[in-house]
Amino acid sequence: MRFDYVIVGGGSAGCVLANRLSADPRRSVCLVEAGPDTPPEAVPDAIYSDAFLPDYFQPYRYWTDLEAYTGALGNKSQAQVKADMKPRRYEQARVMGGGSSVNGQVLIRGLAADYDEWEELGASGWSWNDCLPLFKRIERDLDFATPLSGTEGRIPIRRTFPEHWSPFALAFRDAVGKVGIPYLDDSHQQTGDACFPFGRNNAYNHRVSAAAGYLDESTRRRPNLRILAGSTARSLTFEGRRATGVNVVTKGREQWIEAGEVILSAGALHTPALLMRAGIGSAEHLREVNVPVLCDRRGVGENLLDHPLIGFGVHLRDHGRLSPAARNGFLMHMRWSSGHPDCAPVDMKLTVSGRFAATRLGQRLATVNFGPNKAYSKGIVRLNAASPEAEPFVAFNYLSDERDLARFKSTARRVAGFLSTDPVSGFVNGFWPGIYAESLRNLSAPTAWNKLVTNVAASLLDLGGPARRMVLGAAVDRRFPLERTLADDATMEEWIRTGVQGDWHPCGTCKMGAPDDSYAVVDPKGLVYGVERLRVADASIMPSIPSANINLTTMMIGEKIADCIISA
């Protein structure tokens, strides 16, 4: 098979690219996705209807062998990290639509300053004024029609307004309002500190993924578009330094797909791994794993960014809970300025959920999660082995920058203050320093056993007294009792270092930059430096992390790179 463009990865950017590039019948396009397809007439009900993490951690939705190290790396080598730290599994989507098919349906653009920063970092043509028309092109806003709104795009955006929030979330909105953080209906209007309802890629209580929005039936019927789902890209092929195609495995059968140009849209963890296996990366590292060096680009796999977060678990009183009829548990989002002298304005985020999970137990619990929206700690992606079967080595290096830890501490105490006083405290039975432990993660899997366990736990919570204390005792990490954690700085730091996790927003590992930036991997058109006919278009090219969930920004990258190709 030969195509003008082979796109590796059917995630949020890949779906956009497949649609835009194949709109010209003179271009032949092949979209390769490792996970299952979700065609319009056969979207699984879990994806269509579930608000968050459908079919949680099942191998037909996620890369279940992918793990990540979260602790600060210091000067440790890759081997020392493996010896000293325990990895955590990492929830990375493996399905058409990528993260947009399994995430919390959060659609936030980020701030104008985020994209102006990209241009300052060498991504010429990616300023806010350049990117805003692309955001508007994507969106079909069901709630607003302002000069900042997109009204005719392929991805609907709607919000769950306060009339449908839980009393607990409403009280939190009122509490932050008293300290000067105003409420806005529309996050697109935010220029400073504010709280607002989440924008969501959702229409009429149904998820609209990038696959649903961009790979609709009319797009799929184009004779010049070929979609290969359930097909894993094993390697890239080259003649000299010119990319010629991709080796793909489908149902155990390997085939070579010849390409006029290869576009990697496999995400911030797998795209750098594909590049390194092809010999594009740090020469020193490639020699360590016995990969012949094609192009020495030391920025490949560097600059791994995420939104680290932690939070408090909350046991709600009956009158503070979200209605079971409400489909969306993500209610209030807040972005505000920490005031840290070495941090940008509006550098923090906080989320108030109405329930922990869509179970009887989860309906009695809420969370308040928080962390830096502009995190400064940077991690790495490396190869564990040259084999395409081996998942990459991923180390996020959370809290390696003092500014991130300091802001976590100050925010934890501030949030505890809100939870302990009126108007919020009237809806709270109790709260505790949260640890999203493996046992809690496992309870999210859709199994009959989990349903039984969570139903019994909910009944015990309702009994109160010793039964309630027993259930909460299983949820609370005994190392971090609330009063001591808030009062003792060392205990708080230990809690944060133990419990910190990412928000599943990896980006930055193949960053855009100017030709004289030795750590830049691609130019502002997504073309990989040092080779020919190879491009990257996904979250890995972000020079810095935006102050928002990155899904919408990733779709914007797909639009922008498609424009670069079409206008060439």
Side-chain angles (χ1 to χ4, degrees), residues 344-398:
V346 198
D347 57 319
M348 298 295 291
K349 72 169 186 171
L350 177 146
T351 297
V352 177
S353 74
R355 55 176 168 247
F356 178 73
T359 62
R360 282 189 62 218
L361 175 62
Q363 289 166 2
R364 288 151 175 78
L365 306 175
T367 58
V368 181
N369 293 325
F370 50 87
N373 232 344
K374 297 297 287 186
Y376 296 100
S377 301
K378 297 180 180 181
I380 56 173
V381 174
R382 297 283 186 269
L383 294 181
N384 276 311
S387 169
E389 280 78 27
E391 288 284 11
F393 171 85
V394 179
F396 281 97
N397 202 24
Y398 295 135

Side-chain angles (χ1 to χ4, degrees), residues 19-144:
N19 174 289
R20 297 306 188 195
L21 296 182
S22 65
D24 184 344
R26 295 170 297 178
R27 293 189 178 93
S28 58
V29 179
C30 180
L31 176 63
V32 178
E33 166 55 39
D37 197 4
T38 56
E41 299 301 324
V43 178
D45 187 62
I47 289 177
Y48 191 54
S49 301
D50 286 3
F52 186 47
L53 297 178
D55 297 321
Y56 181 70
F57 216 63
Q58 300 303 305
Y60 51 85
R61 292 276 184 273
Y62 303 86
W63 293 92
T64 51
D65 291 332
L66 182 62
E67 296 180 322
Y69 296 89
T70 57
L73 301 178
N75 295 318
K76 294 179 179 179
S77 68
Q78 188 170 327
Q80 288 172 325
V81 170
K82 291 180 180 180
D84 296 346
M85 296 185 191
K86 183 180 179 180
R88 302 180 186 180
R89 73 185 188 207
Y90 195 80
E91 290 84 345
Q92 184 79 5
R94 188 174 183 267
V95 61
M96 193 68 75
S100 70
S101 290
V102 304
N103 60 17
Q105 302 175 53
V106 173
L107 217 65
I108 305 176
R109 290 175 176 171
L111 301 167
D114 296 327
Y115 305 98
D116 289 339
E117 180 185 37
W118 286 13
E119 184 154 74
E120 293 168 5
L121 292 171
S124 177
W126 290 79
S127 71
W128 172 245
N129 289 335
D130 294 311
C131 294
L132 177 58
L134 301 170
F135 282 121
K136 293 171 70 174
R137 182 193 298 175
I138 294 166
E139 297 171 4
R140 177 165 55 91
D141 200 316
L142 303 181
D143 299 320
F144 298 105

Side-chain angles (χ1 to χ4, degrees), residues 500-515:
V500 68
Q501 66 171 59
D503 213 4
W504 302 308
H505 301 160
C507 60
T509 50
C510 299
K511 73 168 188 172
M512 284 187 290

Side-chain angles (χ1 to χ4, degrees), residues 143-325:
D143 299 320
F144 298 105
T146 75
L148 291 176
S149 304
T151 57
E152 298 180 359
R154 288 179 166 267
I155 304 297
I157 176 172
R158 62 181 288 267
R159 301 149 185 88
T160 301
F161 290 111
E163 300 94 282
H164 307 288
W165 289 9
S166 66
F168 168 71
L170 289 171
F172 214 99
R173 178 200 63 178
D174 295 342
V176 301
K178 290 180 178 180
V179 297
I181 298 175
Y183 168 80
L184 299 173
D185 273 339
D186 182 9
S187 64
H188 289 358
Q189 308 297 321
Q190 184 190 20
T191 56
D193 296 4
C195 66
F196 43 83
F198 284 97
R200 305 176 64 220
N201 51 300
N202 183 289
Y204 317 116
N205 271 330
H206 292 296
R207 176 193 302 272
V208 181
S209 67
Y214 282 88
L215 298 181
D216 57 303
E217 198 67 33
S218 62
T219 300
R220 289 169 176 269
R221 295 184 72 187
R222 294 171 181 168
N224 60 324
L225 174 63
R226 177 77 179 272
I227 296 175
L228 293 180
S231 301
T232 305
R234 288 177 58 86
S235 61
L236 310 179
T237 60
F238 286 82
E239 288 183 2
R241 293 195 171 210
R242 178 172 62 87
T244 57
V246 185
N247 287 317
V248 173
V249 173
T250 307
K251 295 181 179 179
R253 175 175 169 265
E254 186 165 343
Q255 59 183 326
W256 178 58
I257 305 175
E258 185 179 358
E261 178 174 298
V262 176
I263 305 172
L264 298 183
S265 297
L269 305 182
H270 287 124
T271 285
L274 281 165
L275 288 175
M276 287 186 280
R277 290 193 195 104
I280 303 169
S282 163
E284 180 182 3
H285 172 61
L286 295 179
R287 293 186 184 107
E288 290 173 349
V289 289
N290 298 314
V291 173
V293 178
L294 174 67
C295 179
D296 185 4
R297 297 301 302 184
R298 60 181 178 176
V300 176
E302 296 289 329
N303 195 49
L304 174 60
L305 300 163
D306 195 357
H307 288 128
L309 80 163
I310 202 165
F312 290 107
V314 183
H315 179 216
L316 297 172
R317 297 181 179 177
D318 290 355
H319 62 289
R321 297 174 187 168
L322 183 65
S323 167

Side-chain angles (χ1 to χ4, degrees), residues 386-508:
S387 169
E389 280 78 27
E391 288 284 11
F393 171 85
V394 179
F396 281 97
N397 202 24
Y398 295 135
L399 308 178
S400 57
D401 191 296
E402 183 276 337
R403 291 170 290 182
D404 294 349
L405 179 60
R407 289 179 291 168
F408 265 120
K409 289 180 182 178
S410 60
T411 302
R413 293 189 170 100
R414 190 179 195 193
V415 172
F418 289 134
L419 290 168
S420 302
T421 56
D422 285 335
V424 181
S425 61
F427 300 104
V428 174
N429 274 323
F431 67 97
W432 58 92
I435 298 285
Y436 193 27
E438 199 78 0
S439 57
L440 288 176
R441 294 155 82 101
N442 289 336
L443 281 177
S444 299
T447 66
W449 173 252
N450 282 346
K451 183 175 181 179
L452 174 63
V453 169
T454 54
N455 282 345
V456 170
S459 298
L460 293 173
L461 268 184
D462 290 343
L463 286 175
R468 176 178 295 170
R469 288 194 293 273
M470 180 183 70
V471 173
L472 293 181
V476 178
D477 194 308
R478 297 178 186 275
R479 295 172 293 175
F480 308 114
L482 178 63
E483 291 185 6
R484 190 171 80 221
T485 301
L486 295 175
D488 180 67
D489 206 58
T491 303
M492 174 169 283
E493 180 172 336
E494 184 184 358
W495 163 53
I496 294 169
R497 290 193 181 280
T498 302
V500 68
Q501 66 171 59
D503 213 4
W504 302 308
H505 301 160
C507 60

